[in-house]
Amino acid sequence: MELLNTNSRFLHDNIVEYAKRLSATLPDRLSVCYFTNSGSEANDLALRLARQFRGHQDVITLDHAYHGHLSSLIEISPYKFQKGKDVKKEFVHVAPAPDTYRGKYREDHTDPASAYADEVKKIIDEAHNSGRKIAAFIAESMQSCGGQIIPPAGYFQKVAEYVHGAGGVFIADEVQVGFGRVGTHFWSFQMFGEDFVPDIVTMGKPMGNGHPVACVVTTKEIAEAFSSSGMEYFNTYGGNPVSSAVGLAILDVIENEDLQGNATRVGNYLTKLLNKQKAKHTLIGDIRGIGLFIGIDLVKDHQERTPATAEAQHIIYKMKEKRVLLSADGPYRNVLKIKPPMCFTEEDAQFMVDQLDEILTGLEEAVGAKTESVISENTPCRTKMPEEAHSELLSDGSPDPKENPSQKRNGLCTDKHSLLSKRLKT
């Protein structure tokens, strides 16, 4: 592992040891490390590396992706720029998220991986026909803000083939999903097979467990192309001795307390519990994930897979009252995100599911009671839940799916949600 970015005044044995420890978790070709202070800084630097490598500028990103808060990253984050006043820049190309439950190509497709990858190839071809050149394809190894999406096997390999053929590089964003969260592997991209190795990997959040430390790891070839530009990368606090000591301590805890193994054990247990809830509650359309990265896709109708957006918002606020913090995301904000601390136990999982079961039961009973009232008053022969009953019950709390999710996140209640909670009385 080479260090090409740290301020020499801060160079310390901790930094060298930390780089070596990180290197040991990654494929051999990823051998150059740049320390930064945040995942956003890491992704911004990754874009600079990619653009310098071949002199190309365009970036392919996934629909509803989020890669950070810097201006350069908002530009490639549909999760943000599609909600605000910004328009998509001409150098940004948006590919459909490889969602096999709600996306364009679903689980009944014969080869969803190839179908979704071909969408990327179409974008590359159209860009080339317009005289543009692809610098990078960037994606989270598992898409978080997009709704806990696990790409189908083979998708990343095919995308990498197309992107490399266009002279671009593959950036794997592990800021949210790295450091053993998937359980089976230390890095989420590794679960797609040994024949897939990104050209650039970015990491952050769990790397410091609350402390500001992040990193970009890439190949020697890409790093040399970057340094040959004459624009030295300099970061005053990136890779400082304190941050390196913090990072080393976290690696020690992950290893000594077997948190990666815990992610597998508790994740499997939690998934089993949630699948039992799926069989019990009609609101649950899909349970997906691996390790301690799980999504619950809530639906009003299983056949149409109509997003249960209002119900999801109701659930996260009621769960907060029961001292369980969840959030909802995805294009319709109807997917409950379960991404707990790595020390999450089976007892914690049982407690969480018990609270969810109680809330879902109360919610379905409330909706059912209102439905029976509407049916008896209007058309006794109707068997499908009337939309007007559902709308009336939840209208006071139904958020606009197009509303900026940053305005209502992580337990910031609004009057509308309070009215919804009072009406349902679960």
Side-chain angles (χ1 to χ4, degrees):
M1 175 69 75
E2 295 183 42
L3 296 170
L4 298 180
N5 69 305
T6 53
N7 185 339
S8 60
R9 292 177 299 167
F10 289 141
L11 197 56
H12 189 277
D13 289 346
N14 275 352
I15 304 172
V16 177
E17 183 183 355
Y18 191 26
K20 289 180 178 178
R21 290 279 297 277
L22 282 176
S23 178
T25 69
L26 291 158
D28 291 341
R29 67 184 296 261
L30 296 170
S31 60
V32 181
C33 172
Y34 297 83
F35 285 113
T36 67
N37 302 297
S38 70
S40 290
E41 276 193 5
N43 280 331
D44 177 73
L45 177 58
L47 290 182
R48 290 174 58 194
L49 289 167
R51 285 171 167 155
Q52 181 61 35
F53 184 51
R54 301 289 189 200
H56 300 176
Q57 291 298 312
D58 288 25
V59 176
I60 301 174
T61 186
L62 293 178
D63 196 16
H64 217 69
Y66 175 68
H67 294 289
H69 64 80
L70 277 69
S71 297
S72 62
L73 303 175
I74 295 297
E75 290 174 346
I76 64 164
S77 297
Y79 178 76
K80 288 294 186 181
F81 72 67
Q82 289 179 349
K83 302 292 184 180
K85 296 181 180 179
D86 295 337
V87 296
K88 183 176 74 67
K89 301 296 191 294
E90 61 180 2
F91 57 81
V92 177
H93 310 275
V94 180
D99 181 355
T100 58
Y101 178 73
R102 189 178 295 285
K104 185 176 182 179
Y105 307 108
R106 300 186 174 183
E107 69 275 4
D108 57 351
H109 192 280
T110 56
D111 188 1
S114 294
Y116 278 116
D118 286 345
E119 294 287 332
V120 176
K121 188 176 186 303
K122 289 178 186 176
I123 288 174
I124 293 172
D125 292 341
E126 290 171 1
H128 285 179
N129 291 337
S130 300
R132 308 199 66 86
K133 295 182 179 180
I134 303 300
F137 172 91
I138 185 170
E140 290 181 281
S141 301
M142 301 186 296
Q143 199 173 6
S144 181
C145 291
Q148 309 295 86
I149 305 301
I150 314 297
Y155 170 71
F156 280 153
Q157 282 90 335
K158 293 178 184 296
V159 168
E161 177 185 346
Y162 297 145
V163 172
H164 290 157
V169 301
F170 193 113
I171 303 172
D173 182 342
E174 293 265 341
V175 171
Q176 294 197 51
V177 298
F179 289 87
R181 177 162 293 277
V182 296
T184 57
H185 298 84
F186 198 80
W187 303 105
S188 295
F189 73 81
Q190 292 171 322
M191 68 181 179
F192 297 104
E194 294 183 0
D195 59 336
F196 170 65
V197 179
D199 303 293
I200 301 173
V201 176
T202 60
M203 54 193 77
K205 296 184 190 303
M207 187 173 184
N209 197 32
H211 182 86
V213 57
C215 188
V216 180
V217 183
T218 189
T219 66
K220 189 172 183 178
E221 182 183 12
I222 292 174
E224 288 177 346
F226 184 64
S227 62
S228 68
S229 69
M231 185 181 293
E232 178 187 4
Y233 176 67
F234 180 87
N235 191 317
T236 302
Y237 299 107
N240 70 76
V242 173
S243 294
S244 298
V246 169
L248 283 168
I250 289 166
L251 291 179
D252 287 341
V253 170
I254 292 174
E255 180 178 347
N256 296 338
E257 299 184 13
D258 190 26
L259 294 187
Q260 185 177 335
N262 186 69
T264 294
R265 291 186 296 272
V266 178
N268 289 343
Y269 178 71
L270 177 56
T271 299
K272 181 179 179 180
L273 293 178
L274 290 173
N275 277 316
K276 289 181 179 179
Q277 294 298 309
K278 178 184 176 183
K280 179 179 179 181
H281 297 290
T282 58
L283 274 170
I284 299 179
D286 188 38
I287 303 293
R288 54 180 176 263
I290 183 171
L292 290 176
F293 183 90
I294 301 170
I296 306 175
D297 200 311
L298 300 179
V299 298
K300 299 177 185 177
D301 179 274
H302 276 249
Q303 184 173 357
E304 298 296 328
R305 302 183 180 181
T306 308
T309 301
E311 293 83 349
Q313 304 312 305
H314 170 74
I315 289 168
I316 62 175
Y317 287 109
K318 297 302 289 185
M319 288 291 279
K320 181 187 176 186
E321 292 177 4
K322 295 177 178 293
R323 307 185 69 79
V324 178
L325 295 180
L326 295 177
S327 60
D329 239 318
Y332 304 98
R333 298 190 69 214
N334 69 303
V335 180
L336 300 181
K337 294 171 62 174
I338 302 176
K339 198 172 56 177
M342 295 281 284
C343 56
F344 204 64
T345 66
E346 291 186 357
E347 291 75 15
D348 295 328
Q350 185 67 63
F351 177 79
M352 189 210 80
V353 173
D354 287 345
Q355 310 314 305
L356 181 63
D357 181 26
E358 182 180 337
I359 293 170
L360 285 170
T361 298
L363 180 58
E364 290 169 346
E365 288 176 352
V367 172
K370 185 64 182 179
T371 301
E372 291 177 6
S373 174
V374 172
I375 291 175
S376 62
E377 293 175 7
N378 297 312
T379 52
C381 295
R382 293 171 69 174
T383 58
K384 187 176 180 179
M385 177 180 174
E387 184 64 27
E388 59 267 30
H390 188 273
S391 298
E392 182 178 346
L393 184 65
L394 296 176
S395 59
D396 288 336
S398 300
D400 184 352
K402 297 181 180 179
E403 185 176 26
N404 190 338
S406 65
Q407 295 175 354
K408 291 192 291 184
R409 296 182 62 80
N410 300 328
L412 299 178
C413 287
T414 66
D415 290 340
K416 287 185 178 182
H417 286 107
S418 298
L419 286 170
L420 175 60
S421 298
K422 291 178 181 177
R423 170 169 283 192
L424 293 177
K425 299 183 184 303
T426 58

